[in-house]
């Protein structure tokens, strides 16, 4: 049994609320030898995994014609910031079907603004 | 550091991040508080120790109630030695203050009972061949001895037996964090026993040796 509810988790105020299908800009700290810099990764959120301290989400983007997916830990101190660029309208929680699609077919409709 | 250990309860496992972003698997243990119920001395009982009580019991029997006097109704008793010559009085409550973050601890608990287990599970025997005409030999132990000489099975021969439900000590677990308000210790790694099982958290033997050398 996971008892993460007993342990206080760090909540980062720079992480905006987002869901699967949203396009997000993720800023993560990367250590390069001695120095530390912030790397930005922009793409579509294809899944969110709950699970207390181990909660994570995966972002997919097409870089130089190749699909790249990166998984980030929500509670990691290395995760600097998450900004929502575009809210997508999707009908499922896990967008694995995007992996088989390219180009125009891989687009996601934008959520109607209220 | 004062009392050499505390009685507690294993609550379960989770993951936490440290400042560098490294994930640690931790076991959450609710340790203490314990109440001192008796001081044993070398002159009276023949050895020095502090007897402490832990937990709650709805209906303790009369001998137990008499022993606890007005201190409360407890579930179990255990004796600990004291370190650094700290002295306690009856009725004192001892909690997490005896541990600090970064300390090493040994945790004792009763391992999960696995019932009567065969040689493959209990002693990691390889079992017999799965094919080539074998029948009923797949998880058999094989030969358990020679022939007429010695004419008996040697003592200590590993065989199927009861597994688990025994006292196990996990040594040198690091205290990664503690929450004194909730009485919780976060220990790096696994702790013997099932969730909600009673465990005893000791100051690690290794740490005691280091402390001794410094003196």
């Amino acid at each position: 049994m996971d008892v993460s509810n007993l342990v206080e988790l760090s909540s980062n105020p720079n992480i905006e609320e987002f869901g699967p299908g949203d396009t997000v800009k993720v800023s993560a700290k990367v250590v390069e030898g001695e120095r530390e810099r912030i790397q930005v990764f922009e793409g579509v959120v294809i899944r969110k995994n709950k699970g207390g301290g181990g909660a994570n989400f995966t972002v997919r983007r097409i870089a130089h014609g190749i699909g790249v997916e990166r998984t980030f830990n929500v509670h990691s101190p290395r995760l600097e910031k998450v900004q929502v660029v575009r809210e997508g309208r999707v009908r499922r929680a896990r967008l694995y079907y995007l992996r088989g699609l390219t180009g125009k077919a891989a687009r996601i409709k934008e959520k109607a603004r209220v | 550091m004062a009392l050499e250990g505390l009685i507690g309860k294993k609550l379960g496992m989770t993951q936490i991040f440290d400042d560098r972003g490294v994930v640690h698997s931790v076991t959450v243990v609710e340790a203490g508080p314990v109440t001192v119920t008796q001081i044993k001395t070398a002159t009276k009982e023949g050895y020095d120790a502090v007897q402490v009580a832990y937990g709650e019991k709805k209906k303790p029997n009369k001998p137990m109630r008499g022993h606890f006097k007005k201190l409360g109704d407890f579930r179990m008793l255990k004796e600990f030695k004291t370190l650094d010559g700290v002295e306690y009085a009856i009725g004192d409550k001892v909690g997490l203050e005896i541990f600090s973050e970064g300390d090493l601890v040994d945790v004792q608990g009763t391992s999960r009972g696995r019932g009567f287990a065969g040689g493959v599970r209990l002693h990691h025997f390889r079992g017999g061949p799965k094919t080539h005409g074998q029948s009923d030999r797949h998880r058999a132990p094989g030969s358990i001895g020679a022939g007429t000489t010695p004419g008996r099975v040697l003592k200590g021969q590993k065989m199927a037996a009861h597994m688990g439900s025994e006292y196990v000590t996990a040594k040198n677990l690091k205290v990664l964090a503690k929450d004194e308000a909730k009485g919780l210790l976060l220990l790096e790694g696994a702790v013997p026993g099932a969730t909600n099982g009673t465990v005893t958290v000791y100051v690690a033997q290794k740490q005691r040796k280091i402390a001794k050398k410094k003196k």
Side-chain angles (χ1 to χ4, degrees):
Chain A
M1 194 195 77
D2 194 85
V3 286
S4 48
N5 53 325
L6 292 170
V7 182
E8 261 177 56
L9 296 168
S10 60
S11 61
N12 189 338
N14 293 326
I15 298 178
E16 289 178 18
E17 221 171 276
F18 62 92
D22 294 353
T23 305
V24 292
K25 223 181 219 182
V26 183
S27 311
K29 283 183 200 154
V30 185
V31 179
E32 276 179 351
E34 295 272 298
R35 90 210 157 82
E36 217 178 42
R37 66 182 187 88
I38 287 171
Q39 196 177 55
V40 181
F41 191 86
E42 188 176 336
V44 179
V45 178
I46 63 164
R47 77 175 147 203
K48 271 178 92 173
N49 277 334
K50 291 181 186 176
N56 59 53
F57 62 94
T58 301
V59 179
R60 178 180 169 87
R61 66 172 289 186
I62 308 293
H64 304 293
I66 295 163
V68 179
E69 284 176 16
R70 245 186 106 170
T71 303
F72 299 94
N73 288 305
V74 176
H75 298 288
S76 170
R78 291 268 179 89
L79 186 62
E80 188 78 10
K81 193 161 69 170
V82 179
Q83 282 173 293
V84 178
V85 179
R86 187 172 171 271
E87 278 181 41
R89 196 190 83 97
V90 287
R91 292 185 149 200
R92 52 213 78 223
R94 307 279 152 105
L95 310 180
Y96 299 140
Y97 66 88
L98 286 179
R99 288 172 178 165
L101 304 176
T102 49
K104 279 191 175 179
R107 286 174 304 174
I108 288 173
K109 269 191 190 163
E110 193 156 2
K111 217 182 226 174
R113 296 193 192 256
V114 185
Chain B
M1 223 187 280
L3 208 63
E4 65 168 349
L6 284 181
I7 309 169
K9 185 166 133 183
K10 172 177 169 177
L11 294 183
M13 295 190 74
T14 185
Q15 295 180 325
I16 56 166
F17 286 90
D18 66 14
D19 306 333
R20 293 186 305 137
V22 179
V23 179
H24 298 273
S25 305
V26 292
T27 308
V28 183
V29 174
E30 182 190 64
V34 294
T35 309
V36 177
T37 49
Q38 193 183 349
I39 312 284
K40 300 205 170 179
T41 55
T43 45
K44 205 172 170 211
E45 281 88 7
Y47 61 98
D48 287 309
V50 175
Q51 188 194 63
V52 296
Y54 170 77
E56 273 176 43
K57 199 175 175 79
K58 275 184 193 155
K59 284 186 186 169
N61 57 25
K62 276 193 173 175
M64 280 183 96
R65 219 175 286 166
H67 182 62
F68 296 149
K69 298 193 179 72
K70 290 271 153 55
L71 295 171
D73 296 334
F74 304 108
R75 191 163 67 84
M76 61 180 292
L77 292 170
K78 206 172 180 79
E79 280 178 19
F80 290 103
K81 287 182 186 128
T82 53
L83 305 170
D84 303 344
V86 178
E87 282 187 22
Y88 288 98
I90 290 171
D92 282 358
K93 287 210 188 293
V94 187
L96 286 184
E97 65 274 4
I98 66 167
F99 299 114
S100 47
E101 277 173 35
D103 278 1
L104 294 179
V105 294
D106 294 341
V107 181
Q108 249 173 23
T110 309
S111 66
R112 288 188 186 194
R114 279 146 170 108
F116 190 87
V120 173
R121 185 155 158 77
L122 180 56
H123 303 297
H124 304 298
F125 288 169
R126 286 186 179 161
K130 292 192 180 82
T131 56
H132 296 293
Q134 304 290 324
S135 63
D136 310 336
R137 301 283 313 155
H138 305 305
R139 292 177 74 86
S143 169
I144 56 167
T148 318
T149 321
R152 63 192 170 89
V153 176
L154 297 176
K155 274 192 178 177
Q157 172 65 35
K158 288 177 183 170
M159 290 190 184
H162 188 273
M163 185 180 177
S165 294
E166 58 185 0
Y167 234 36
V168 178
T169 309
K171 287 186 173 173
N172 302 326
L173 306 180
K174 204 175 188 182
V175 179
L176 285 186
K178 70 169 185 173
D179 184 339
E180 275 198 62
K182 290 183 195 161
L184 302 180
L185 281 177
L186 299 193
L187 308 175
E188 180 159 36
V191 159
T195 296
N196 293 330
T198 304
V199 293
T200 316
V201 185
Y202 289 97
V203 175
Q205 267 181 345
K206 190 179 171 187
Q207 190 156 321
R208 284 186 226 176
K209 272 181 201 159
I210 296 167
K212 237 183 210 176
K213 259 185 199 167
K214 273 185 190 162
K215 277 176 196 170

